[in-house]
Amino acid sequence: LRAFEALALLRDRHGRRETLVLTGAAKNAHDDLQRALARLGLEQQVRFLGYCPVEDLPALYRGARALFYPSLYEGFGIPVVEAMSCRCPVVCSSATSLPEIVGQAGLLVDPLAPGEMAATLARLLGDTELREELRERGARRAADFSWRRFTLQVLRALAEVGAP
């Protein structure tokens, strides 16, 4: 809901009519979200793609101007790492684990502040140099996360504690 409010503010305060593309299966709140879209006049600016196969996600990330991820509850933030590895600039929540994952490779926003989110998106969308800088930083940051590196770190930790 706050992402939709930010999208409306991006339109109303910053004159940008961007399309927000959402993936994932519809949840219990889907009807409430549809009503919010109508109330905010955003029906033509939001697309629900539903579940997307993992092999289609890189094309979505590469085609996006940014990943906007104002999550309130996040364990790790795999979509953020996926986006960065695809050279997609990231605007994400300053809450949960996301600041640690993104580091200096993305822009952080308060996920409860639609005005801040809209202003940050407007800044990113209006600044080609910033988008390119975040693409470069993101690709470097994403390289820090790999299954191989993870596995090696787990094996080292197990060896240190003497696990069988």
CSV table of all heavy atoms in Angstrom, one decimal, residues 55-121:
chain,number,residue,atom,x,y,z
A,55,GLU,N,13.7,-18.4,-14.3
A,55,GLU,CA,14.5,-18.1,-15.5
A,55,GLU,C,14.1,-16.8,-16.2
A,55,GLU,O,14.8,-16.3,-17.0
A,55,GLU,CB,14.5,-19.3,-16.4
A,55,GLU,CG,13.2,-19.8,-16.9
A,55,GLU,CD,12.5,-20.8,-16.0
A,55,GLU,OE1,13.0,-21.1,-14.9
A,55,GLU,OE2,11.5,-21.4,-16.4
A,56,ASP,N,12.9,-16.3,-15.9
A,56,ASP,CA,12.4,-15.1,-16.5
A,56,ASP,C,12.8,-13.8,-15.7
A,56,ASP,O,12.8,-12.7,-16.2
A,56,ASP,CB,10.9,-15.1,-16.6
A,56,ASP,CG,10.3,-16.1,-17.6
A,56,ASP,OD1,11.1,-16.7,-18.4
A,56,ASP,OD2,9.1,-16.4,-17.5
A,57,LEU,N,13.2,-14.0,-14.5
A,57,LEU,CA,13.5,-12.9,-13.6
A,57,LEU,C,14.7,-12.0,-14.1
A,57,LEU,O,14.6,-10.8,-14.1
A,57,LEU,CB,13.7,-13.3,-12.2
A,57,LEU,CG,12.5,-13.9,-11.5
A,57,LEU,CD1,12.9,-14.4,-10.1
A,57,LEU,CD2,11.4,-12.8,-11.4
A,58,PRO,N,15.8,-12.6,-14.6
A,58,PRO,CA,16.8,-11.7,-15.1
A,58,PRO,C,16.4,-10.7,-16.2
A,58,PRO,O,16.8,-9.6,-16.2
A,58,PRO,CB,17.9,-12.7,-15.6
A,58,PRO,CG,17.7,-13.9,-14.8
A,58,PRO,CD,16.2,-14.0,-14.6
A,59,ALA,N,15.5,-11.2,-17.1
A,59,ALA,CA,15.0,-10.3,-18.1
A,59,ALA,C,14.2,-9.1,-17.5
A,59,ALA,O,14.2,-8.0,-18.0
A,59,ALA,CB,14.2,-11.0,-19.1
A,60,LEU,N,13.4,-9.4,-16.5
A,60,LEU,CA,12.6,-8.4,-15.8
A,60,LEU,C,13.5,-7.4,-15.1
A,60,LEU,O,13.3,-6.2,-15.2
A,60,LEU,CB,11.7,-9.0,-14.8
A,60,LEU,CG,10.5,-9.7,-15.3
A,60,LEU,CD1,9.7,-10.5,-14.2
A,60,LEU,CD2,9.5,-8.8,-16.0
A,61,TYR,N,14.6,-7.9,-14.4
A,61,TYR,CA,15.5,-7.0,-13.8
A,61,TYR,C,16.2,-6.1,-14.8
A,61,TYR,O,16.4,-4.9,-14.6
A,61,TYR,CB,16.5,-7.8,-12.9
A,61,TYR,CG,16.0,-8.4,-11.7
A,61,TYR,CD1,16.2,-9.8,-11.5
A,61,TYR,CD2,15.3,-7.7,-10.8
A,61,TYR,CE1,15.8,-10.4,-10.3
A,61,TYR,CE2,14.8,-8.4,-9.6
A,61,TYR,CZ,15.0,-9.7,-9.4
A,61,TYR,OH,14.6,-10.3,-8.3
A,62,ARG,N,16.7,-6.7,-15.9
A,62,ARG,CA,17.4,-6.0,-16.9
A,62,ARG,C,16.6,-4.9,-17.6
A,62,ARG,O,17.1,-3.9,-18.0
A,62,ARG,CB,18.1,-6.9,-17.9
A,62,ARG,CG,19.2,-7.7,-17.2
A,62,ARG,CD,20.0,-8.6,-18.3
A,62,ARG,NE,20.9,-9.4,-17.6
A,62,ARG,CZ,20.8,-10.7,-17.5
A,62,ARG,NH1,19.8,-11.4,-18.0
A,62,ARG,NH2,21.7,-11.4,-16.8
A,63,GLY,N,15.3,-5.2,-17.7
A,63,GLY,CA,14.4,-4.3,-18.4
A,63,GLY,C,13.9,-3.2,-17.5
A,63,GLY,O,13.2,-2.2,-18.0
A,64,ALA,N,14.1,-3.3,-16.2
A,64,ALA,CA,13.6,-2.4,-15.2
A,64,ALA,C,14.5,-1.2,-15.1
A,64,ALA,O,15.7,-1.3,-15.2
A,64,ALA,CB,13.4,-3.0,-13.9
A,65,ARG,N,13.9,0.0,-14.8
A,65,ARG,CA,14.7,1.2,-14.6
A,65,ARG,C,15.3,1.1,-13.2
A,65,ARG,O,16.3,1.7,-12.9
A,65,ARG,CB,13.9,2.4,-14.8
A,65,ARG,CG,13.5,2.5,-16.2
A,65,ARG,CD,13.0,3.8,-16.7
A,65,ARG,NE,13.8,4.9,-16.2
A,65,ARG,CZ,13.6,6.1,-16.6
A,65,ARG,NH1,12.8,6.4,-17.5
A,65,ARG,NH2,14.3,7.1,-16.0
A,66,ALA,N,14.6,0.4,-12.3
A,66,ALA,CA,15.0,0.2,-10.9
A,66,ALA,C,14.2,-0.9,-10.3
A,66,ALA,O,13.1,-1.2,-10.7
A,66,ALA,CB,14.9,1.4,-10.1
A,67,LEU,N,14.8,-1.6,-9.3
A,67,LEU,CA,14.1,-2.4,-8.4
A,67,LEU,C,13.6,-1.6,-7.2
A,67,LEU,O,14.5,-1.0,-6.5
A,67,LEU,CB,14.9,-3.6,-7.9
A,67,LEU,CG,14.2,-4.5,-6.8
A,67,LEU,CD1,13.1,-5.2,-7.3
A,67,LEU,CD2,15.2,-5.4,-6.1
A,68,PHE,N,12.3,-1.5,-6.9
A,68,PHE,CA,11.8,-0.7,-5.8
A,68,PHE,C,11.3,-1.8,-4.8
A,68,PHE,O,10.4,-2.5,-5.1
A,68,PHE,CB,10.7,0.2,-6.3
A,68,PHE,CG,10.0,1.0,-5.3
A,68,PHE,CD1,10.7,1.6,-4.2
A,68,PHE,CD2,8.6,1.1,-5.3
A,68,PHE,CE1,10.0,2.3,-3.3
A,68,PHE,CE2,7.9,1.9,-4.4
A,68,PHE,CZ,8.6,2.5,-3.3
A,69,TYR,N,12.0,-1.9,-3.7
A,69,TYR,CA,11.7,-3.0,-2.8
A,69,TYR,C,11.6,-2.5,-1.3
A,69,TYR,O,12.5,-2.6,-0.5
A,69,TYR,CB,12.9,-4.0,-2.9
A,69,TYR,CG,12.6,-5.4,-2.4
A,69,TYR,CD1,11.8,-6.2,-3.1
A,69,TYR,CD2,13.3,-5.8,-1.3
A,69,TYR,CE1,11.6,-7.5,-2.7
A,69,TYR,CE2,13.0,-7.1,-0.9
A,69,TYR,CZ,12.2,-8.0,-1.6
A,69,TYR,OH,12.0,-9.2,-1.2
A,70,PRO,N,10.4,-1.8,-1.0
A,70,PRO,CA,10.2,-1.3,0.3
A,70,PRO,C,9.7,-2.3,1.3
A,70,PRO,O,8.7,-2.1,2.0
A,70,PRO,CB,9.2,-0.1,0.0
A,70,PRO,CG,8.4,-0.7,-1.1
A,70,PRO,CD,9.3,-1.5,-1.9
A,71,SER,N,10.4,-3.4,1.5
A,71,SER,CA,10.0,-4.5,2.3
A,71,SER,C,10.0,-4.1,3.8
A,71,SER,O,10.9,-3.4,4.3
A,71,SER,CB,10.9,-5.7,2.1
A,71,SER,OG,10.5,-6.7,3.0
A,72,LEU,N,9.0,-4.6,4.5
A,72,LEU,CA,8.9,-4.4,6.0
A,72,LEU,C,9.4,-5.6,6.7
A,72,LEU,O,9.8,-5.5,7.9
A,72,LEU,CB,7.5,-4.1,6.4
A,72,LEU,CG,6.8,-2.8,6.0
A,72,LEU,CD1,5.4,-2.8,6.3
A,72,LEU,CD2,7.6,-1.7,6.6
A,73,TYR,N,9.4,-6.8,6.1
A,73,TYR,CA,9.8,-8.0,6.7
A,73,TYR,C,10.7,-8.8,5.7
A,73,TYR,O,10.2,-9.2,4.7
A,73,TYR,CB,8.6,-8.9,7.0
A,73,TYR,CG,7.5,-8.1,7.8
A,73,TYR,CD1,6.4,-7.6,7.2
A,73,TYR,CD2,7.7,-7.9,9.2
A,73,TYR,CE1,5.5,-6.9,7.9
A,73,TYR,CE2,6.8,-7.2,9.9
A,73,TYR,CZ,5.7,-6.7,9.3
A,73,TYR,OH,4.7,-6.0,10.0
A,74,GLU,N,12.0,-8.9,6.1
A,74,GLU,CA,12.9,-9.6,5.1
A,74,GLU,C,13.9,-10.3,5.9
A,74,GLU,O,14.5,-9.8,6.8
A,74,GLU,CB,13.6,-8.5,4.3
A,74,GLU,CG,14.1,-8.9,3.0
A,74,GLU,CD,13.0,-9.5,2.1
A,74,GLU,OE1,12.0,-8.8,1.9
A,74,GLU,OE2,13.3,-10.6,1.6
A,75,GLY,N,14.1,-11.6,5.5
A,75,GLY,CA,15.1,-12.4,6.1
A,75,GLY,C,16.5,-12.1,5.5
A,75,GLY,O,17.5,-11.9,6.2
A,76,PHE,N,16.6,-12.1,4.2
A,76,PHE,CA,17.9,-11.9,3.5
A,76,PHE,C,17.8,-10.9,2.4
A,76,PHE,O,18.6,-10.0,2.3
A,76,PHE,CB,18.5,-13.2,3.0
A,76,PHE,CG,19.8,-13.0,2.3
A,76,PHE,CD1,20.9,-12.7,3.0
A,76,PHE,CD2,19.8,-13.0,0.9
A,76,PHE,CE1,22.1,-12.5,2.3
A,76,PHE,CE2,21.0,-12.8,0.2
A,76,PHE,CZ,22.2,-12.5,0.9
A,77,GLY,N,16.8,-11.0,1.5
A,77,GLY,CA,16.7,-10.0,0.5
A,77,GLY,C,17.2,-10.5,-0.9
A,77,GLY,O,17.9,-9.8,-1.6
A,78,ILE,N,17.0,-11.8,-1.2
A,78,ILE,CA,17.5,-12.3,-2.4
A,78,ILE,C,17.1,-11.5,-3.7
A,78,ILE,O,17.9,-11.3,-4.5
A,78,ILE,CB,17.0,-13.8,-2.6
A,78,ILE,CG1,17.8,-14.6,-1.6
A,78,ILE,CG2,17.2,-14.3,-4.0
A,78,ILE,CD1,17.4,-16.1,-1.5
A,79,PRO,N,15.9,-10.9,-3.8
A,79,PRO,CA,15.6,-10.1,-5.0
A,79,PRO,C,16.5,-8.9,-5.1
A,79,PRO,O,16.9,-8.6,-6.3
A,79,PRO,CB,14.1,-9.7,-4.7
A,79,PRO,CG,13.5,-10.7,-3.9
A,79,PRO,CD,14.7,-11.1,-2.9
A,80,VAL,N,17.0,-8.4,-4.0
A,80,VAL,CA,17.9,-7.2,-4.1
A,80,VAL,C,19.3,-7.7,-4.7
A,80,VAL,O,19.8,-7.1,-5.6
A,80,VAL,CB,18.1,-6.6,-2.7
A,80,VAL,CG1,19.2,-5.6,-2.7
A,80,VAL,CG2,16.8,-6.0,-2.3
A,81,VAL,N,19.8,-8.8,-4.3
A,81,VAL,CA,21.0,-9.4,-4.8
A,81,VAL,C,20.8,-9.8,-6.3
A,81,VAL,O,21.7,-9.5,-7.1
A,81,VAL,CB,21.5,-10.6,-4.0
A,81,VAL,CG1,22.8,-11.2,-4.6
A,81,VAL,CG2,21.8,-10.1,-2.5
A,82,GLU,N,19.7,-10.4,-6.6
A,82,GLU,CA,19.4,-10.7,-8.0
A,82,GLU,C,19.4,-9.5,-8.9
A,82,GLU,O,20.0,-9.5,-9.9
A,82,GLU,CB,18.1,-11.4,-8.1
A,82,GLU,CG,18.0,-12.8,-7.5
A,82,GLU,CD,16.6,-13.4,-7.4
A,82,GLU,OE1,15.6,-12.7,-7.5
A,82,GLU,OE2,16.5,-14.6,-7.3
A,83,ALA,N,18.7,-8.4,-8.4
A,83,ALA,CA,18.7,-7.2,-9.2
A,83,ALA,C,20.1,-6.6,-9.4
A,83,ALA,O,20.4,-6.2,-10.5
A,83,ALA,CB,17.7,-6.2,-8.5
A,84,MET,N,20.8,-6.5,-8.3
A,84,MET,CA,22.2,-6.0,-8.4
A,84,MET,C,23.0,-6.8,-9.4
A,84,MET,O,23.8,-6.2,-10.2
A,84,MET,CB,22.8,-5.9,-7.1
A,84,MET,CG,22.2,-4.8,-6.2
A,84,MET,SD,23.1,-4.5,-4.6
A,84,MET,CE,23.2,-6.1,-3.8
A,85,SER,N,22.9,-8.1,-9.3
A,85,SER,CA,23.7,-8.9,-10.2
A,85,SER,C,23.3,-8.8,-11.7
A,85,SER,O,24.1,-9.0,-12.6
A,85,SER,CB,23.6,-10.4,-9.8
A,85,SER,OG,22.4,-10.9,-10.1
A,86,CYS,N,22.1,-8.3,-11.9
A,86,CYS,CA,21.6,-8.0,-13.3
A,86,CYS,C,21.8,-6.5,-13.7
A,86,CYS,O,21.3,-6.1,-14.7
A,86,CYS,CB,20.1,-8.4,-13.4
A,86,CYS,SG,19.8,-10.1,-13.4
A,87,ARG,N,22.6,-5.8,-12.8
A,87,ARG,CA,22.9,-4.4,-13.1
A,87,ARG,C,21.6,-3.5,-13.1
A,87,ARG,O,21.5,-2.6,-13.8
A,87,ARG,CB,23.7,-4.2,-14.4
A,87,ARG,CG,25.0,-4.9,-14.3
A,87,ARG,CD,25.8,-4.7,-15.6
A,87,ARG,NE,25.8,-3.4,-16.2
A,87,ARG,CZ,26.5,-2.4,-15.8
A,87,ARG,NH1,27.4,-2.5,-14.9
A,87,ARG,NH2,26.5,-1.2,-16.4
A,88,CYS,N,20.7,-3.8,-12.2
A,88,CYS,CA,19.5,-3.1,-12.0
A,88,CYS,C,19.6,-2.2,-10.8
A,88,CYS,O,19.9,-2.8,-9.7
A,88,CYS,CB,18.3,-4.0,-11.9
A,88,CYS,SG,16.7,-3.2,-11.6
A,89,PRO,N,19.5,-0.9,-10.9
A,89,PRO,CA,19.6,0.0,-9.7
A,89,PRO,C,18.6,-0.4,-8.7
A,89,PRO,O,17.5,-0.8,-9.0
A,89,PRO,CB,19.4,1.4,-10.2
A,89,PRO,CG,19.6,1.3,-11.7
A,89,PRO,CD,19.3,-0.1,-12.1
A,90,VAL,N,18.9,-0.3,-7.4
A,90,VAL,CA,18.1,-0.7,-6.3
A,90,VAL,C,17.7,0.5,-5.4
A,90,VAL,O,18.5,1.2,-5.0
A,90,VAL,CB,18.7,-1.8,-5.4
A,90,VAL,CG1,17.9,-2.1,-4.2
A,90,VAL,CG2,18.9,-3.1,-6.3
A,91,VAL,N,16.4,0.6,-5.1
A,91,VAL,CA,15.9,1.5,-4.0
A,91,VAL,C,15.1,0.5,-3.1
A,91,VAL,O,14.2,-0.2,-3.5
A,91,VAL,CB,14.9,2.5,-4.6
A,91,VAL,CG1,14.2,3.3,-3.4
A,91,VAL,CG2,15.6,3.4,-5.6
A,92,CYS,N,15.6,0.4,-1.9
A,92,CYS,CA,15.0,-0.6,-1.0
A,92,CYS,C,14.9,0.0,0.4
A,92,CYS,O,15.4,1.0,0.7
A,92,CYS,CB,15.8,-1.9,-1.0
A,92,CYS,SG,17.4,-1.8,-0.2
A,93,SER,N,14.2,-0.8,1.2
A,93,SER,CA,13.9,-0.5,2.6
A,93,SER,C,15.2,-0.3,3.5
A,93,SER,O,16.1,-1.0,3.3
A,93,SER,CB,13.1,-1.6,3.2
A,93,SER,OG,12.8,-1.4,4.6
A,94,SER,N,15.1,0.7,4.3
A,94,SER,CA,16.2,0.9,5.3
A,94,SER,C,16.0,0.0,6.5
A,94,SER,O,16.7,0.1,7.5
A,94,SER,CB,16.2,2.4,5.7
A,94,SER,OG,15.0,2.8,6.3
A,95,ALA,N,14.9,-0.8,6.5
A,95,ALA,CA,14.6,-1.7,7.6
A,95,ALA,C,15.2,-3.1,7.3
A,95,ALA,O,15.6,-3.4,6.2
A,95,ALA,CB,13.1,-1.7,7.8
A,96,THR,N,15.1,-4.0,8.3
A,96,THR,CA,15.4,-5.4,8.2
A,96,THR,C,16.9,-5.6,7.8
A,96,THR,O,17.7,-4.8,8.2
A,96,THR,CB,14.5,-6.2,7.2
A,96,THR,OG1,14.8,-5.8,5.9
A,96,THR,CG2,13.0,-5.9,7.5
A,97,SER,N,17.2,-6.6,7.1
A,97,SER,CA,18.6,-6.9,6.7
A,97,SER,C,19.0,-6.2,5.5
A,97,SER,O,20.2,-6.3,5.1
A,97,SER,CB,18.7,-8.4,6.4
A,97,SER,OG,17.8,-8.8,5.3
A,98,LEU,N,18.1,-5.5,4.8
A,98,LEU,CA,18.5,-4.9,3.5
A,98,LEU,C,19.6,-3.9,3.5
A,98,LEU,O,20.4,-3.9,2.6
A,98,LEU,CB,17.2,-4.3,2.9
A,98,LEU,CG,16.2,-5.4,2.5
A,98,LEU,CD1,14.9,-4.7,2.0
A,98,LEU,CD2,16.7,-6.4,1.5
A,99,PRO,N,19.8,-3.0,4.5
A,99,PRO,CA,20.9,-2.1,4.5
A,99,PRO,C,22.2,-2.8,4.5
A,99,PRO,O,23.2,-2.4,3.8
A,99,PRO,CB,20.7,-1.2,5.7
A,99,PRO,CG,19.3,-1.3,6.0
A,99,PRO,CD,18.8,-2.6,5.6
A,100,GLU,N,22.3,-3.9,5.2
A,100,GLU,CA,23.5,-4.7,5.3
A,100,GLU,C,23.8,-5.4,3.9
A,100,GLU,O,24.9,-5.5,3.5
A,100,GLU,CB,23.4,-5.8,6.4
A,100,GLU,CG,24.7,-6.6,6.5
A,100,GLU,CD,24.6,-7.6,7.6
A,100,GLU,OE1,23.6,-7.5,8.4
A,100,GLU,OE2,25.4,-8.5,7.7
A,101,ILE,N,22.7,-5.8,3.3
A,101,ILE,CA,22.9,-6.5,2.0
A,101,ILE,C,23.3,-5.5,0.9
A,101,ILE,O,24.2,-5.8,0.1
A,101,ILE,CB,21.6,-7.2,1.6
A,101,ILE,CG1,21.2,-8.3,2.6
A,101,ILE,CG2,21.7,-7.9,0.2
A,101,ILE,CD1,22.2,-9.3,2.9
A,102,VAL,N,22.6,-4.4,0.8
A,102,VAL,CA,22.9,-3.4,-0.2
A,102,VAL,C,24.2,-2.7,0.0
A,102,VAL,O,24.9,-2.3,-1.0
A,102,VAL,CB,21.7,-2.5,-0.3
A,102,VAL,CG1,22.0,-1.3,-1.3
A,102,VAL,CG2,20.4,-3.2,-0.8
A,103,GLY,N,24.5,-2.4,1.2
A,103,GLY,CA,25.7,-1.5,1.5
A,103,GLY,C,25.5,-0.2,0.8
A,103,GLY,O,24.5,0.5,0.9
A,104,GLN,N,26.6,0.2,0.1
A,104,GLN,CA,26.6,1.5,-0.6
A,104,GLN,C,26.1,1.3,-2.1
A,104,GLN,O,26.3,2.3,-2.9
A,104,GLN,CB,28.0,2.1,-0.6
A,104,GLN,CG,28.5,2.4,0.8
A,104,GLN,CD,27.6,3.4,1.5
A,104,GLN,OE1,27.3,4.5,0.9
A,104,GLN,NE2,27.2,3.1,2.7
A,105,ALA,N,25.6,0.2,-2.4
A,105,ALA,CA,25.2,-0.1,-3.8
A,105,ALA,C,23.8,0.2,-4.2
A,105,ALA,O,23.3,-0.1,-5.3
A,105,ALA,CB,25.5,-1.6,-4.1
A,106,GLY,N,23.0,0.8,-3.3
A,106,GLY,CA,21.6,1.1,-3.5
A,106,GLY,C,21.2,2.3,-2.7
A,106,GLY,O,22.0,2.8,-1.9
A,107,LEU,N,20.0,2.7,-2.9
A,107,LEU,CA,19.4,3.8,-2.2
A,107,LEU,C,18.4,3.3,-1.1
A,107,LEU,O,17.6,2.4,-1.5
A,107,LEU,CB,18.7,4.8,-3.1
A,107,LEU,CG,19.6,5.4,-4.2
A,107,LEU,CD1,18.8,6.3,-5.1
A,107,LEU,CD2,20.8,6.2,-3.6
A,108,LEU,N,18.5,3.7,0.1
A,108,LEU,CA,17.7,3.2,1.2
A,108,LEU,C,16.6,4.2,1.5
A,108,LEU,O,16.8,5.4,1.5
A,108,LEU,CB,18.5,3.0,2.4
A,108,LEU,CG,19.6,1.9,2.3
A,108,LEU,CD1,20.5,1.9,3.6
A,108,LEU,CD2,19.1,0.6,1.9
A,109,VAL,N,15.4,3.7,1.8
A,109,VAL,CA,14.2,4.5,2.1
A,109,VAL,C,13.5,4.0,3.3
A,109,VAL,O,13.5,2.8,3.5
A,109,VAL,CB,13.3,4.7,0.9
A,109,VAL,CG1,13.9,5.5,-0.3
A,109,VAL,CG2,12.8,3.3,0.4
A,110,ASP,N,12.8,4.8,4.0
A,110,ASP,CA,12.0,4.4,5.1
A,110,ASP,C,10.7,3.8,4.5
A,110,ASP,O,10.0,4.5,3.7
A,110,ASP,CB,11.6,5.6,5.9
A,110,ASP,CG,10.7,5.3,7.1
A,110,ASP,OD1,10.0,4.2,7.1
A,110,ASP,OD2,10.5,6.1,8.0
A,111,PRO,N,10.5,2.5,4.7
A,111,PRO,CA,9.3,1.8,4.0
A,111,PRO,C,8.0,2.3,4.5
A,111,PRO,O,6.9,1.9,4.0
A,111,PRO,CB,9.5,0.3,4.4
A,111,PRO,CG,10.3,0.4,5.7
A,111,PRO,CD,11.2,1.6,5.6
A,112,LEU,N,8.0,3.2,5.5
A,112,LEU,CA,6.7,3.7,6.1
A,112,LEU,C,6.5,5.2,5.6
A,112,LEU,O,5.5,5.8,6.1
A,112,LEU,CB,6.7,3.6,7.6
A,112,LEU,CG,6.8,2.2,8.1
A,112,LEU,CD1,6.8,2.2,9.7
A,112,LEU,CD2,5.6,1.3,7.7
A,113,ALA,N,7.4,5.7,4.8
A,113,ALA,CA,7.3,7.1,4.4
A,113,ALA,C,7.2,7.2,2.9
A,113,ALA,O,8.2,7.4,2.1
A,113,ALA,CB,8.6,7.8,4.9
A,114,PRO,N,5.9,7.2,2.4
A,114,PRO,CA,5.7,7.4,0.9
A,114,PRO,C,6.4,8.6,0.3
A,114,PRO,O,6.9,8.5,-0.8
A,114,PRO,CB,4.2,7.4,0.8
A,114,PRO,CG,3.7,6.7,2.0
A,114,PRO,CD,4.7,7.1,3.1
A,115,GLY,N,6.4,9.7,1.0
A,115,GLY,CA,7.0,10.9,0.4
A,115,GLY,C,8.5,10.8,0.2
A,115,GLY,O,9.0,11.2,-0.8
A,116,GLU,N,9.1,10.1,1.2
A,116,GLU,CA,10.6,9.9,1.0
A,116,GLU,C,10.8,8.9,-0.1
A,116,GLU,O,11.8,9.1,-0.9
A,116,GLU,CB,11.1,9.3,2.3
A,116,GLU,CG,12.6,9.0,2.3
A,116,GLU,CD,13.1,8.3,3.5
A,116,GLU,OE1,12.6,8.6,4.6
A,116,GLU,OE2,14.1,7.5,3.4
A,117,MET,N,10.0,7.9,-0.2
A,117,MET,CA,10.1,6.9,-1.3
A,117,MET,C,10.0,7.6,-2.6
A,117,MET,O,10.8,7.4,-3.6
A,117,MET,CB,9.1,5.7,-1.1
A,117,MET,CG,9.5,4.8,0.0
A,117,MET,SD,8.4,3.4,0.0
A,117,MET,CE,7.0,4.0,1.1
A,118,ALA,N,9.0,8.4,-2.8
A,118,ALA,CA,8.7,9.1,-4.0
A,118,ALA,C,9.9,10.0,-4.4
A,118,ALA,O,10.3,10.0,-5.6
A,118,ALA,CB,7.4,9.9,-4.0
A,119,ALA,N,10.4,10.8,-3.4
A,119,ALA,CA,11.5,11.7,-3.7
A,119,ALA,C,12.7,10.9,-4.1
A,119,ALA,O,13.4,11.4,-5.0
A,119,ALA,CB,11.7,12.6,-2.5
A,120,THR,N,13.0,9.8,-3.5
A,120,THR,CA,14.2,9.0,-3.8
A,120,THR,C,14.0,8.4,-5.2
A,120,THR,O,15.0,8.4,-6.0
A,120,THR,CB,14.4,7.9,-2.8
A,120,THR,OG1,14.6,8.6,-1.5
A,120,THR,CG2,15.6,7.1,-3.1
A,121,LEU,N,12.9,7.9,-5.5
A,121,LEU,CA,12.6,7.4,-6.9
A,121,LEU,C,12.8,8.4,-7.9
A,121,LEU,O,13.4,8.2,-9.0
A,121,LEU,CB,11.2,6.7,-6.9
A,121,LEU,CG,11.1,5.4,-6.2
A,121,LEU,CD1,9.6,5.0,-6.1
A,121,LEU,CD2,11.9,4.3,-7.0
